[in-house]
Amino acid sequence: MKLNIAVLAGDGIGPEIVTQAQKVLDAIAAKYHHEIIYSPALVGATAIDQLGDPYPETTHEVCMNSDAVLFGAIGDPKFDNDPKAKVRPEQGLLAMRKKLGLYANIRPVATFPSLLDKSPLRLDIVEGADMVVVRELTGGIYFGEKGRSEDLKKAFDTCTYTTEEIERILKLAFSYAGKRDKRLTVVDKANVLATSRLWRETAQAMEPAYKDIEVDYMFVDNAAMQLIQWPKKFDVIVTENMFGDIISDEASVITGSLGLLPSASVGVHTSVFEPIHGSYPQAAGKDIANPVATVLSAAMLLESLDLLEEAQLVREAVNKSLEEGIVTEDINKEKPYKTSEVGDWLAKYIAG
Ligand code: IPM
Ligand code: MN
């Protein structure tokens, strides 16, 4: 198979971790006789510095022409500390989501048996936790009308959803649940918000078409509490953009290994695969960042193209590396491996 992969390495540790994922993909390509063509493109602070735009049109073209996008990270403290900055790297991310129609963000959260002691939660609470958070990504308060009054003393952000937007993400969430433990939790704030009531109404109307799925509804505050009290009770969680932003960060700490968790943003035109962590600027260029979340994102990329055996081998390589202690300093301070060493080890394991 011939694969066109857009590579948006971005800022901070982005380039280093993406390089390791490419090593892994190259090893897969060699073993299974695929041809991968990488098209690099600028995004984030790097793109602002070079072209004045965090998601330039040229980058959008590269993504549109790809089978999938491998994404590193964006963000640079020089923008965070400047409240007057006119363009910010994060705007690039939002523009990319909107223009590629990336309406669903999928974050699988599962514990790694060899790393259970990394969780801030008690072992008996987290052992066996395995869930997927499906977050709506192109609607809601992130993209609604927003502004300031003339005297600047009032500001507003509007949350809007249409039935169509809700249906398409629910469809995806139902289908994930169907392939897993067949339990779906719809998270909302239907006791307060009109948009949440539309979400609930829409989900209820869809339930009869998915008789084998057990659906429950939970207010977001309650869900935030139950997630860390009984994480095992969740299989697939589906929710709107802002709640999903918060809930998915919360869910990610259950495993205690932020550097290990991948994500996929599924789109109308193409899909984007990226680690859930940020650009970790303090570690940039030091060859110490954990590349595993990006490598597992590459596994999700392979899966999305139906290369299931290939994806499975990547996961196997990662599990083996964790068992054998081939890990970066965030996992083992006493005996840390470098970012590049972990990438080399994984590629070699795959080569067999
Ligand atoms: C995420 C991030 C983004 C979001 C920011 C950087 C705009 O937190 O991908 O979850 O809020 O969606
Ligand atoms: Mn977030």
Side-chain angles (χ1 to χ4, degrees), residues 21-71:
Q22 285 179 275
K23 279 182 196 165
V24 165
L25 287 171
D26 288 340
I28 288 286
K31 186 171 181 112
Y32 291 91
H33 310 290
H34 300 305
E35 188 193 344
I36 304 185
I37 299 162
Y38 297 109
S39 306
L42 294 172
V43 73
T46 321
I48 299 178
D49 290 342
Q50 294 191 32
L51 299 169
D53 182 346
Y55 184 63
E57 194 51 39
T58 44
T59 297
H60 182 57
E61 289 293 311
V62 170
C63 293
M64 289 295 281
N65 292 321
S66 70
D67 297 313
V69 180
L70 184 62
F71 194 97

Side-chain angles (χ1 to χ4, degrees), residues 56-57 78 100 119 131 161 184 282 286 331 335 338:
E57 194 51 39
K78 77 181 178 206
L100 292 177
S119 175
M131 70 182 88
Y161 269 108
L184 178 66
Q282 306 87 322
K286 294 191 179 152
I331 310 277
K335 192 170 171 277
K338 295 280 181 198

Side-chain angles (χ1 to χ4, degrees), residues 90 93-94 97 107 135 137 142 245 249:
E90 289 76 10
L93 195 60
L94 297 180
R97 287 175 184 169
R107 283 186 178 191
R135 166 190 175 189
L137 204 58
Y142 272 61
D245 181 43
D249 265 30

Side-chain angles (χ1 to χ4, degrees), residues 160-179:
T160 312
Y161 269 108
T162 65
T163 306
E164 221 180 348
E165 286 172 318
I166 300 168
E167 264 170 5
R168 87 178 157 181
I169 183 111
L170 285 175
K171 223 168 131 185
L172 196 88
F174 271 111
S175 115
Y176 263 90
K179 286 184 252 159

